[in-house]
Amino acid sequence: MRRYLPAAAVLAGWITLAGWWTFGFRAFTTDGAALAAAGPLPRPASPLTFIDASGDTTTLARYQGRYVLLTFMYLHCPGVCQLVTQRLQQARVDLAEAPPDRLLFLSVSLDPERDDSTALAHHWRALGSAAGWVVGRLARPLDHRQVADLAHLGVWVSRDPSGRIDHAASTFLLDPAGNVVEVFRPEVPATALVAAVRRRLS
């Protein structure tokens, strides 16, 4: 029996490594596949209704007439959401010369059941109560129609029984007409995002 233990340990290690690699590869390729399936840029942004931190229901169309940096997140997100938020905070500092009527930051939670207006208002204050940064949550829990609308935008999302939400962490730049004109993957640094936005604003 003992002679088989090293071989079994090696086999278990390979299975664990293969599972980890497959999961990471799937997450990376899912993001790319969702963006490819949404179609080439520019493309119209899908309709989006959400509730802001004040509890008011609004739509993405309300912000037409300015550029919008749109991201999706949720407050219990264990990892990538914080990194993307940090990148946006740096971008907002670097783009301070752009007034809110020309450039708006919009972060929408994919977890409306847990991220209520009180929690979102606290999050907004943590972002500095920025006049040019709107925080909200989907107007209803994720369902097939919501997932389809998000997929049209280029966002994939899934939720497991534990409540963990896996989702695309890209930032979408919408032009004043409401079209998606650029997409910034999570690995794009704040400096590159800022440079691209400045080109659009100039």
Side-chain angles (χ1 to χ4, degrees):
M1 182 70 177
R2 290 182 179 177
R3 85 173 77 171
Y4 296 112
L5 288 178
V10 170
L11 178 61
W14 275 109
I15 291 173
T16 301
L17 179 62
W20 175 85
W21 185 88
T22 301
F23 175 80
F25 183 75
R26 180 180 63 82
F28 181 80
T29 55
T30 299
D31 198 29
L35 292 172
L41 301 176
R43 60 175 180 265
S46 53
L48 180 65
T49 300
F50 63 94
I51 301 170
D52 65 22
S54 299
D56 296 327
T57 300
T58 187
T59 65
L60 188 58
R62 172 185 176 184
Y63 301 107
Q64 289 187 5
R66 70 188 86 178
Y67 283 95
V68 176
L69 278 168
L70 170 65
T71 56
F72 294 91
M73 53 81 183
Y74 66 107
L75 299 182
H76 297 84
C77 182
V80 70
C81 295
Q82 287 87 349
L83 296 176
V84 172
T85 297
Q86 290 172 7
R87 178 181 69 173
L88 290 174
Q89 286 178 306
Q90 183 59 55
R92 185 180 177 277
V93 170
D94 294 343
L95 292 165
E97 74 277 6
D101 61 350
R102 291 210 65 205
L103 176 65
L104 184 79
F105 288 70
L106 175 59
S107 299
V108 178
S109 170
L110 296 166
D111 192 4
E113 297 160 298
R114 290 186 292 181
D115 294 349
D116 59 17
S117 296
T118 299
L120 289 171
H122 178 76
H123 180 63
W124 182 69
R125 287 192 294 271
L127 295 173
S129 303
W133 200 327
V134 174
V135 176
R137 68 187 190 275
L138 294 178
R140 65 180 190 277
L142 281 171
D143 56 24
H144 293 302
R145 184 175 177 181
Q146 289 266 40
V147 171
D149 284 343
L150 291 169
H152 179 73
L153 183 62
V155 176
W156 64 273
V157 58
S158 64
R159 183 170 189 164
D160 66 27
S162 73
R164 178 189 175 98
I165 300 173
D166 292 323
H167 63 94
S170 295
T171 298
F172 299 83
L173 179 63
L174 280 58
D175 70 8
N179 297 309
V180 180
V181 291
E182 297 201 46
V183 179
F184 306 100
R185 299 280 289 271
E187 63 271 19
V188 174
T191 51
L193 186 153
V194 167
V197 172
R198 280 189 173 140
R199 286 194 297 270
R200 295 281 178 176
L201 291 172
S202 61

